[in-house]
Amino acid sequence: MNDPSNDRRGGSPFAPFRLPHFGFVWSSNLLHFFAIQVHLLSLQWLVTDLTDSRTILGLAIAVQGVVVAIGSPLGGVAADLFAKRNLVAATRLGTAGLALTLAALVHSEWIALWHVLVAALLGGLLNALGQPASQAYVFDVVGARHTQPAIALNSSAIGLGQMGGPALAGFLIAAVGLVGSWSVGAASFAVAALLLLRIPIPGRSARATREPWRELKEGLAYVVRTPPLALALLACAMAFFNGAIFAMRPVFARHVLEVGSQGMGALAAAAGFGTLLGSLVATMLPDFRRPGLAIAFSMLGFSSCVFLYAFATSFPYLLCVEFASGLAAQIWQISAFSGLQMSVPERMRGRVMGLLFTVAQLAQVGGFVVGSLADQVGDRAAMATFGAIPVVALTLLLIFGYRPLSRLGAAGALETE
Protein backbone atom coordinates (compact mmCIF):
# COMPACT_ATOMS: atom_id res chain seq x y z
CA MET A 1 0.00 0.00 0.00
CA ASN A 2 1.29 3.45 -0.85
CA ASP A 3 2.19 5.75 2.02
CA PRO A 4 -0.14 8.74 1.75
CA SER A 5 2.59 10.96 3.11
CA ASN A 6 4.34 10.47 -0.20
CA ASP A 7 1.45 12.10 -2.09
CA ARG A 8 1.91 15.83 -2.00
CA ARG A 9 -1.48 16.66 -3.50
CA GLY A 10 -3.16 16.68 -0.11
CA GLY A 11 -0.50 18.87 1.47
CA SER A 12 0.47 22.48 1.37
CA PRO A 13 1.77 23.84 -1.95
CA PHE A 14 4.45 25.58 0.11
CA ALA A 15 5.69 22.32 1.66
CA PRO A 16 9.19 22.65 0.08
CA PHE A 17 9.82 25.65 2.39
CA ARG A 18 9.58 23.27 5.33
CA LEU A 19 12.58 21.37 4.00
CA PRO A 20 15.92 22.35 5.58
CA HIS A 21 17.61 24.09 2.63
CA PHE A 22 15.01 25.06 0.03
CA GLY A 23 14.64 28.53 1.54
CA PHE A 24 18.28 29.28 0.71
CA VAL A 25 17.82 28.00 -2.84
CA TRP A 26 14.68 30.09 -3.35
CA SER A 27 16.21 33.24 -1.85
CA SER A 28 19.36 32.85 -3.93
CA ASN A 29 17.34 32.42 -7.11
CA LEU A 30 15.12 35.39 -6.26
CA LEU A 31 18.14 37.66 -5.95
CA HIS A 32 19.66 36.16 -9.08
CA PHE A 33 16.55 36.75 -11.19
CA PHE A 34 16.21 40.32 -9.91
CA ALA A 35 19.83 40.92 -10.84
CA ILE A 36 19.45 39.26 -14.26
CA GLN A 37 16.59 41.61 -15.15
CA VAL A 38 18.50 44.67 -13.97
CA HIS A 39 21.59 43.54 -15.88
CA LEU A 40 19.82 42.70 -19.14
CA LEU A 41 17.55 45.75 -19.26
CA SER A 42 20.51 47.99 -18.49
CA LEU A 43 22.39 46.35 -21.37
CA GLN A 44 19.45 46.88 -23.72
CA TRP A 45 19.05 50.50 -22.69
CA LEU A 46 22.76 51.09 -23.22
CA VAL A 47 22.47 49.78 -26.78
CA THR A 48 19.60 52.18 -27.49
CA ASP A 49 21.80 54.99 -26.14
CA LEU A 50 24.62 54.03 -28.51
CA THR A 51 22.59 53.34 -31.67
CA ASP A 52 19.07 53.46 -33.12
CA SER A 53 19.64 50.25 -35.11
CA ARG A 54 17.20 47.44 -34.30
CA THR A 55 19.64 45.04 -35.91
CA ILE A 56 22.40 45.93 -33.44
CA LEU A 57 19.96 45.67 -30.55
CA GLY A 58 18.93 42.22 -31.74
CA LEU A 59 22.56 41.25 -32.29
CA ALA A 60 23.48 42.08 -28.71
CA ILE A 61 20.73 39.72 -27.55
CA ALA A 62 21.51 37.07 -30.16
CA VAL A 63 25.21 36.85 -29.24
CA GLN A 64 24.30 35.73 -25.75
CA GLY A 65 21.60 33.42 -27.07
CA VAL A 66 23.93 31.69 -29.52
CA VAL A 67 26.54 31.11 -26.82
CA VAL A 68 23.93 29.71 -24.43
CA ALA A 69 22.38 27.56 -27.14
CA ILE A 70 25.77 26.09 -28.08
CA GLY A 71 27.13 25.84 -24.56
CA SER A 72 24.10 24.57 -22.61
CA PRO A 73 24.53 20.91 -23.64
CA LEU A 74 28.05 21.02 -22.20
CA GLY A 75 26.64 22.86 -19.19
CA GLY A 76 24.25 19.93 -18.80
CA VAL A 77 27.15 17.49 -18.96
CA ALA A 78 28.94 19.55 -16.30
CA ALA A 79 25.80 19.40 -14.14
CA ASP A 80 25.86 15.59 -14.36
CA LEU A 81 29.56 15.36 -13.55
CA PHE A 82 30.36 18.10 -11.00
CA ALA A 83 28.92 19.61 -7.81
CA LYS A 84 25.96 21.67 -9.02
CA ARG A 85 25.99 24.03 -6.03
CA ASN A 86 29.59 25.11 -6.62
CA LEU A 87 29.08 25.41 -10.37
CA VAL A 88 26.06 27.71 -9.97
CA ALA A 89 27.73 29.84 -7.29
CA ALA A 90 30.84 30.32 -9.43
CA THR A 91 28.85 31.47 -12.46
CA ARG A 92 26.89 33.97 -10.35
CA LEU A 93 30.07 35.44 -8.96
CA GLY A 94 31.41 35.66 -12.50
CA THR A 95 28.30 37.56 -13.62
CA ALA A 96 28.77 39.97 -10.71
CA GLY A 97 32.27 40.71 -11.99
CA LEU A 98 30.93 41.25 -15.50
CA ALA A 99 28.33 43.75 -14.24
CA LEU A 100 30.96 45.69 -12.32
CA THR A 101 33.17 45.80 -15.42
CA LEU A 102 30.35 47.29 -17.48
CA ALA A 103 29.65 49.85 -14.76
CA ALA A 104 33.32 50.87 -14.77
CA LEU A 105 33.37 51.23 -18.57
CA VAL A 106 30.26 53.41 -18.56
CA HIS A 107 31.62 55.52 -15.71
CA SER A 108 34.92 56.06 -17.54
CA GLU A 109 33.02 56.87 -20.78
CA TRP A 110 35.13 54.29 -22.61
CA ILE A 111 32.10 52.14 -23.39
CA ALA A 112 31.61 51.11 -27.03
CA LEU A 113 29.35 48.75 -28.90
CA TRP A 114 32.02 46.07 -29.13
CA HIS A 115 32.21 46.05 -25.31
CA VAL A 116 28.48 45.30 -25.25
CA LEU A 117 28.91 42.38 -27.64
CA VAL A 118 31.82 40.94 -25.63
CA ALA A 119 29.78 41.31 -22.43
CA ALA A 120 26.87 39.50 -24.07
CA LEU A 121 29.20 36.69 -25.13
CA LEU A 122 30.69 36.29 -21.65
CA GLY A 123 27.26 36.52 -20.03
CA GLY A 124 26.01 33.81 -22.33
CA LEU A 125 28.93 31.55 -21.44
CA LEU A 126 28.29 31.97 -17.71
CA ASN A 127 24.57 31.38 -18.23
CA ALA A 128 25.22 28.22 -20.27
CA LEU A 129 27.41 26.78 -17.53
CA GLY A 130 25.15 27.69 -14.62
CA GLN A 131 21.51 27.41 -15.62
CA PRO A 132 21.19 23.64 -16.30
CA ALA A 133 22.86 22.95 -12.95
CA SER A 134 20.61 25.50 -11.23
CA GLN A 135 17.42 23.75 -12.35
CA ALA A 136 18.73 20.24 -11.67
CA TYR A 137 19.99 21.30 -8.21
CA VAL A 138 16.40 21.95 -7.08
CA PHE A 139 15.74 18.21 -7.51
CA ASP A 140 18.83 17.38 -5.43
CA VAL A 141 17.70 19.60 -2.57
CA VAL A 142 14.00 18.65 -2.38
CA GLY A 143 13.80 15.16 -3.91
CA ALA A 144 11.31 13.72 -6.37
CA ARG A 145 8.30 14.05 -4.05
CA HIS A 146 8.50 17.85 -3.99
CA THR A 147 9.93 18.53 -7.43
CA GLN A 148 6.91 20.13 -9.13
CA PRO A 149 5.91 22.41 -6.22
CA ALA A 150 9.56 23.33 -5.73
CA ILE A 151 9.97 24.14 -9.44
CA ALA A 152 6.74 26.18 -9.28
CA LEU A 153 7.95 28.08 -6.21
CA ASN A 154 11.32 28.55 -7.87
CA SER A 155 9.43 29.94 -10.85
CA SER A 156 7.63 32.33 -8.52
CA ALA A 157 11.07 33.74 -7.77
CA ILE A 158 11.51 34.18 -11.52
CA GLY A 159 8.14 35.93 -11.66
CA LEU A 160 9.02 38.25 -8.80
CA GLY A 161 12.33 38.99 -10.49
CA GLN A 162 10.68 39.65 -13.83
CA MET A 163 8.06 41.83 -12.17
CA GLY A 164 10.26 43.78 -9.77
CA GLY A 165 13.58 43.65 -11.61
CA PRO A 166 12.52 45.65 -14.68
CA ALA A 167 10.72 48.22 -12.54
CA LEU A 168 13.84 48.52 -10.40
CA ALA A 169 16.03 48.76 -13.50
CA GLY A 170 13.82 51.50 -15.00
CA PHE A 171 13.95 53.42 -11.73
CA LEU A 172 17.71 53.00 -11.31
CA ILE A 173 18.49 54.01 -14.90
CA ALA A 174 16.39 57.16 -14.49
CA ALA A 175 17.64 57.97 -10.96
CA VAL A 176 21.31 56.96 -10.79
CA GLY A 177 22.15 55.89 -14.35
CA LEU A 178 23.57 52.70 -15.75
CA VAL A 179 26.51 52.68 -13.33
CA GLY A 180 24.16 52.54 -10.36
CA SER A 181 21.93 49.88 -11.90
CA TRP A 182 24.84 47.56 -12.66
CA SER A 183 26.34 48.10 -9.21
CA VAL A 184 23.09 46.99 -7.58
CA GLY A 185 22.93 44.01 -9.92
CA ALA A 186 26.49 42.96 -9.11
CA ALA A 187 25.81 43.05 -5.35
CA SER A 188 22.70 40.89 -5.84
CA PHE A 189 24.62 38.30 -7.88
CA ALA A 190 27.28 38.07 -5.17
CA VAL A 191 24.82 37.61 -2.31
CA ALA A 192 22.94 35.00 -4.36
CA ALA A 193 26.15 32.99 -4.71
CA LEU A 194 26.94 33.21 -0.98
CA LEU A 195 23.46 31.96 -0.05
CA LEU A 196 23.98 28.84 -2.17
CA LEU A 197 27.32 28.14 -0.55
CA ARG A 198 25.60 27.92 2.85
CA ILE A 199 23.81 24.74 1.72
CA PRO A 200 25.68 21.55 2.72
CA ILE A 201 24.29 19.56 -0.26
CA PRO A 202 26.84 19.77 -3.12
CA GLY A 203 24.55 18.12 -5.67
CA ARG A 204 27.25 15.86 -7.08
CA SER A 205 26.30 12.88 -9.24
CA ALA A 206 27.44 9.49 -7.98
CA ARG A 207 28.51 8.48 -11.46
CA ALA A 208 32.18 8.23 -12.32
CA THR A 209 33.51 10.99 -14.53
CA ARG A 210 33.87 10.09 -18.21
CA GLU A 211 34.75 12.00 -21.34
CA PRO A 212 32.43 15.07 -21.73
CA TRP A 213 31.96 14.53 -25.47
CA ARG A 214 30.95 10.92 -24.90
CA GLU A 215 28.43 12.11 -22.27
CA LEU A 216 27.03 14.67 -24.69
CA LYS A 217 26.72 12.14 -27.50
CA GLU A 218 24.91 9.73 -25.20
CA GLY A 219 22.42 12.45 -24.21
CA LEU A 220 21.67 13.38 -27.82
CA ALA A 221 21.20 9.72 -28.76
CA TYR A 222 18.76 9.28 -25.89
CA VAL A 223 16.59 12.16 -27.17
CA VAL A 224 16.64 10.88 -30.76
CA ARG A 225 15.40 7.42 -29.77
CA THR A 226 12.68 8.84 -27.47
CA PRO A 227 9.97 10.45 -29.68
CA PRO A 228 7.85 11.98 -26.85
CA LEU A 229 10.91 13.79 -25.52
CA ALA A 230 12.06 14.85 -28.99
CA LEU A 231 8.64 16.34 -29.83
CA ALA A 232 8.47 18.17 -26.49
CA LEU A 233 11.87 19.74 -27.17
CA LEU A 234 10.70 20.63 -30.68
CA ALA A 235 7.75 22.51 -29.16
CA CYS A 236 10.16 24.28 -26.82
CA ALA A 237 12.26 25.31 -29.83
CA MET A 238 9.42 27.66 -30.87
CA ALA A 239 10.99 29.95 -28.27
CA PHE A 240 13.06 31.19 -31.24
CA PHE A 241 10.01 33.22 -32.29
CA ASN A 242 8.78 34.07 -28.80
CA GLY A 243 12.02 35.90 -28.08
CA ALA A 244 10.66 38.70 -30.26
CA ILE A 245 8.85 40.20 -27.25
CA PHE A 246 12.03 40.54 -25.22
CA ALA A 247 13.99 41.94 -28.16
CA MET A 248 11.36 44.42 -29.33
CA ARG A 249 10.10 45.56 -25.93
CA PRO A 250 12.52 48.52 -25.72
CA VAL A 251 11.71 49.46 -29.31
CA PHE A 252 7.98 49.55 -28.64
CA ALA A 253 8.58 51.44 -25.39
CA ARG A 254 10.91 54.00 -26.89
CA HIS A 255 9.78 54.43 -30.49
CA VAL A 256 6.25 53.03 -30.92
CA LEU A 257 4.46 54.03 -27.71
CA GLU A 258 7.07 56.55 -26.51
CA VAL A 259 6.81 55.64 -22.81
CA GLY A 260 10.55 55.72 -21.98
CA SER A 261 12.68 53.51 -19.73
CA GLN A 262 10.12 53.41 -16.94
CA GLY A 263 7.45 52.32 -19.43
CA MET A 264 9.78 49.59 -20.63
CA GLY A 265 10.21 48.48 -17.04
CA ALA A 266 6.43 48.47 -16.54
CA LEU A 267 5.93 46.29 -19.63
CA ALA A 268 8.45 43.76 -18.39
CA ALA A 269 6.95 43.94 -14.91
CA ALA A 270 3.50 43.10 -16.34
CA ALA A 271 4.99 39.95 -17.87
CA GLY A 272 6.60 39.23 -14.52
CA PHE A 273 3.25 39.57 -12.75
CA GLY A 274 1.78 37.01 -15.16
CA THR A 275 4.74 34.75 -14.45
CA LEU A 276 4.25 35.12 -10.70
CA LEU A 277 0.54 34.39 -10.87
CA GLY A 278 1.16 31.33 -13.04
CA SER A 279 3.71 29.95 -10.60
CA LEU A 280 1.45 30.45 -7.59
CA VAL A 281 -1.41 28.66 -9.36
CA ALA A 282 0.93 25.81 -10.34
CA THR A 283 1.96 25.22 -6.70
CA MET A 284 -1.66 24.27 -5.96
CA LEU A 285 -2.05 21.88 -8.89
CA PRO A 286 -1.26 18.15 -8.85
CA ASP A 287 1.73 17.03 -10.86
CA PHE A 288 1.26 17.48 -14.61
CA ARG A 289 0.12 14.06 -15.82
CA ARG A 290 0.81 14.94 -19.46
CA PRO A 291 3.56 17.56 -19.44
CA GLY A 292 4.21 17.13 -23.17
CA LEU A 293 0.77 18.49 -24.00
CA ALA A 294 1.10 21.25 -21.39
CA ILE A 295 4.39 22.28 -22.99
CA ALA A 296 2.92 22.50 -26.48
CA PHE A 297 -0.31 24.27 -25.51
CA SER A 298 1.42 26.84 -23.29
CA MET A 299 3.97 27.58 -26.01
CA LEU A 300 1.06 28.09 -28.42
CA GLY A 301 -0.43 30.61 -25.99
CA PHE A 302 2.88 32.48 -25.78
CA SER A 303 3.16 32.58 -29.57
CA SER A 304 -0.33 34.04 -29.82
CA CYS A 305 0.80 36.87 -27.53
CA VAL A 306 3.68 37.62 -29.91
CA PHE A 307 1.17 37.97 -32.74
CA LEU A 308 -1.09 40.23 -30.64
CA TYR A 309 1.92 42.41 -29.75
CA ALA A 310 2.01 43.65 -33.33
CA PHE A 311 -1.35 45.37 -32.91
CA ALA A 312 -0.38 47.51 -29.90
CA THR A 313 -2.19 50.84 -30.13
CA SER A 314 -2.04 51.82 -26.47
CA PHE A 315 0.08 51.25 -23.39
CA PRO A 316 -2.71 49.47 -21.40
CA TYR A 317 -3.30 47.06 -24.31
CA LEU A 318 0.37 46.12 -24.37
CA LEU A 319 0.43 45.69 -20.60
CA CYS A 320 -2.36 43.10 -20.96
CA VAL A 321 -0.49 41.25 -23.73
CA GLU A 322 2.69 41.24 -21.62
CA PHE A 323 0.75 39.83 -18.66
CA ALA A 324 -0.73 37.04 -20.80
CA SER A 325 2.68 36.21 -22.25
CA GLY A 326 4.14 35.90 -18.76
CA LEU A 327 1.32 33.59 -17.67
CA ALA A 328 1.79 31.34 -20.71
CA ALA A 329 5.56 31.37 -20.33
CA GLN A 330 5.30 30.25 -16.73
CA ILE A 331 3.03 27.31 -17.49
CA TRP A 332 5.51 26.32 -20.19
CA GLN A 333 8.48 26.65 -17.85
CA ILE A 334 6.98 24.61 -15.02
CA SER A 335 5.63 21.88 -17.29
CA ALA A 336 8.97 21.67 -19.12
CA PHE A 337 11.42 21.82 -16.23
CA SER A 338 9.46 19.68 -13.79
CA GLY A 339 7.86 17.36 -16.36
CA LEU A 340 11.08 16.52 -18.19
CA GLN A 341 13.06 15.98 -14.98
CA MET A 342 10.39 13.61 -13.65
CA SER A 343 10.11 11.76 -16.97
CA VAL A 344 13.76 10.95 -17.65
CA PRO A 345 16.15 8.76 -15.65
CA GLU A 346 18.34 10.44 -13.03
CA ARG A 347 21.53 9.86 -15.00
CA MET A 348 20.12 11.94 -17.87
CA ARG A 349 18.65 14.88 -15.92
CA GLY A 350 21.53 17.30 -16.35
CA ARG A 351 21.96 16.61 -20.05
CA VAL A 352 18.24 16.88 -20.79
CA MET A 353 18.16 20.18 -18.87
CA GLY A 354 21.12 21.34 -20.96
CA LEU A 355 19.30 20.52 -24.18
CA LEU A 356 16.17 22.25 -22.89
CA PHE A 357 18.18 25.40 -22.21
CA THR A 358 19.66 25.16 -25.69
CA VAL A 359 16.28 25.29 -27.40
CA ALA A 360 14.92 27.84 -24.94
CA GLN A 361 17.83 30.18 -25.63
CA LEU A 362 16.93 30.21 -29.30
CA ALA A 363 14.68 33.06 -28.15
CA GLN A 364 17.70 35.32 -28.01
CA VAL A 365 18.83 34.25 -31.45
CA GLY A 366 15.35 35.05 -32.70
CA GLY A 367 15.78 38.50 -31.17
CA PHE A 368 18.50 39.28 -33.69
CA VAL A 369 16.40 38.04 -36.60
CA VAL A 370 13.30 39.99 -35.57
CA GLY A 371 15.40 43.13 -35.11
CA SER A 372 16.88 42.77 -38.57
CA LEU A 373 13.42 42.14 -40.01
CA ALA A 374 12.03 45.19 -38.22
CA ASP A 375 14.68 47.37 -39.88
CA GLN A 376 13.42 46.14 -43.25
CA VAL A 377 9.62 45.87 -42.90
CA GLY A 378 8.77 47.81 -39.76
CA ASP A 379 8.26 46.95 -36.10
CA ARG A 380 4.63 45.82 -36.30
CA ALA A 381 5.04 43.67 -39.42
CA ALA A 382 8.07 41.93 -37.90
CA MET A 383 6.16 41.05 -34.73
CA ALA A 384 3.14 39.80 -36.69
CA THR A 385 5.40 37.51 -38.74
CA PHE A 386 7.15 36.15 -35.67
CA GLY A 387 3.80 35.40 -34.07
CA ALA A 388 2.07 33.77 -37.04
CA ILE A 389 4.81 31.23 -37.87
CA PRO A 390 4.93 29.43 -34.48
CA VAL A 391 1.14 29.55 -34.09
CA VAL A 392 0.80 27.55 -37.31
CA ALA A 393 3.72 25.22 -36.49
CA LEU A 394 2.50 24.41 -32.98
CA THR A 395 -1.04 23.82 -34.16
CA LEU A 396 0.25 21.25 -36.67
CA LEU A 397 2.49 19.69 -34.01
CA LEU A 398 -0.47 19.23 -31.68
CA ILE A 399 -2.62 17.74 -34.47
CA PHE A 400 -0.06 15.21 -35.71
CA GLY A 401 1.99 14.66 -32.54
CA TYR A 402 -0.76 14.56 -29.93
CA ARG A 403 -0.36 10.87 -29.07
CA PRO A 404 3.41 10.76 -28.54
CA LEU A 405 3.29 14.06 -26.62
CA SER A 406 0.65 12.59 -24.33
CA ARG A 407 3.01 9.71 -23.46
CA LEU A 408 5.49 12.07 -21.79
CA GLY A 409 4.57 11.63 -18.16
CA ALA A 410 5.36 9.66 -15.07
CA ALA A 411 8.86 9.25 -13.71
CA GLY A 412 10.63 6.37 -15.35
CA ALA A 413 8.27 6.32 -18.34
CA LEU A 414 11.12 7.22 -20.66
CA GLU A 415 13.64 4.87 -19.10
CA THR A 416 14.29 3.03 -22.34
CA GLU A 417 17.41 1.78 -23.99
Side-chain angles (χ1 to χ4, degrees):
M1 179 180 295
N2 291 334
D3 184 352
S5 66
N6 289 330
D7 187 353
R8 74 165 186 88
R9 287 175 292 181
S12 167
F14 300 100
F17 280 118
R18 294 199 293 266
L19 300 176
H21 309 296
F22 180 72
F24 285 119
V25 174
W26 188 88
S27 300
S28 174
N29 288 335
L30 177 65
L31 281 172
H32 174 73
F33 293 125
F34 257 90
I36 281 289
Q37 291 297 317
V38 171
H39 176 70
L40 292 179
L41 268 72
S42 298
L43 198 67
Q44 285 186 301
W45 201 253
L46 173 62
V47 174
T48 63
D49 276 344
L50 296 174
T51 177
D52 288 332
S53 171
R54 276 70 160 167
T55 302
I56 297 298
L57 177 63
L59 179 62
I61 298 170
V63 166
Q64 179 164 324
V66 168
V67 173
V68 175
I70 294 173
S72 286
L74 289 177
V77 170
D80 279 339
L81 297 179
F82 304 110
K84 301 179 187 72
R85 178 200 61 194
N86 298 345
L87 186 60
V88 176
T91 59
R92 291 181 180 179
L93 288 173
T95 310
L98 179 61
L100 287 177
T101 301
L102 286 167
L105 287 169
V106 171
H107 179 71
S108 66
E109 299 183 353
W110 290 352
I111 194 72
L113 277 173
W114 73 268
H115 293 138
V116 175
L117 297 178
V118 171
L121 188 152
L122 293 175
L125 180 61
L126 291 166
N127 196 25
L129 290 174
Q131 285 297 86
S134 176
Q135 289 291 335
Y137 187 56
V138 173
F139 186 98
D140 291 324
V141 172
V142 306
R145 174 184 168 192
H146 295 288
T147 293
Q148 181 169 309
I151 291 291
L153 289 170
N154 190 53
S155 296
S156 74
I158 298 175
L160 287 169
Q162 289 179 337
M163 184 171 59
L168 177 61
F171 170 78
L172 289 172
I173 293 170
V176 295
L178 291 169
V179 174
S181 65
W182 268 313
S183 298
V184 171
S188 299
F189 284 126
V191 174
L194 294 176
L195 285 172
L196 280 182
L197 292 174
R198 289 178 57 93
I199 302 173
I201 301 171
R204 184 185 296 276
S205 173
R207 297 186 305 112
T209 300
R210 296 188 295 174
E211 302 90 342
W213 290 112
R214 180 179 174 184
E215 298 280 338
L216 177 57
K217 182 179 178 181
E218 181 183 3
L220 291 172
Y222 176 76
V223 171
V224 169
R225 68 173 182 263
T226 314
L229 179 58
L231 287 176
L233 289 174
L234 178 60
C236 293
M238 293 299 106
F240 173 87
F241 299 97
N242 294 347
I245 289 182
F246 180 75
M248 295 297 288
R249 181 182 291 143
V251 173
F252 272 71
R254 189 163 204 162
H255 301 292
V256 177
L257 298 179
E258 298 180 347
V259 292
S261 65
Q262 290 179 314
M264 178 184 70
L267 290 171
F273 181 62
T275 299
L276 176 62
L277 181 62
S279 65
L280 293 178
V281 169
T283 62
M284 296 180 283
L285 296 175
D287 291 344
F288 286 109
R289 299 180 66 85
R290 295 181 176 181
L293 295 177
I295 289 168
F297 275 112
S298 57
M299 190 61 83
L300 177 59
F302 197 161
S303 300
S304 300
C305 291
V306 177
F307 184 74
L308 292 173
Y309 215 94
F311 303 96
T313 56
S314 69
F315 188 56
Y317 169 89
L318 208 54
L319 286 173
C320 292
V321 174
E322 288 272 12
F323 169 80
S325 73
L327 186 64
Q330 189 65 301
I331 299 301
W332 167 78
Q333 177 162 289
I334 295 170
S335 59
F337 284 102
S338 65
L340 295 187
Q341 289 198 71
M342 296 297 290
S343 298
V344 303
E346 189 277 337
R347 64 187 176 82
M348 287 290 176
R349 276 194 296 115
R351 279 166 285 180
V352 169
M353 288 299 98
L355 292 172
L356 178 56
F357 271 103
T358 290
V359 297
Q361 289 300 319
L362 292 174
Q364 299 189 51
V365 181
F368 168 69
V369 179
V370 75
S372 301
L373 184 62
D375 279 335
Q376 301 300 318
V377 302
D379 301 328
R380 295 182 187 277
M383 289 296 286
T385 302
F386 263 61
I389 293 173
V391 164
V392 173
L394 286 162
T395 300
L396 293 174
L397 180 63
L398 280 164
I399 292 172
F400 295 105
Y402 184 91
R403 287 189 176 180
L405 281 171
S406 67
R407 293 202 299 271
L408 189 70
L414 301 185
E415 179 70 79
T416 57
E417 296 295 337

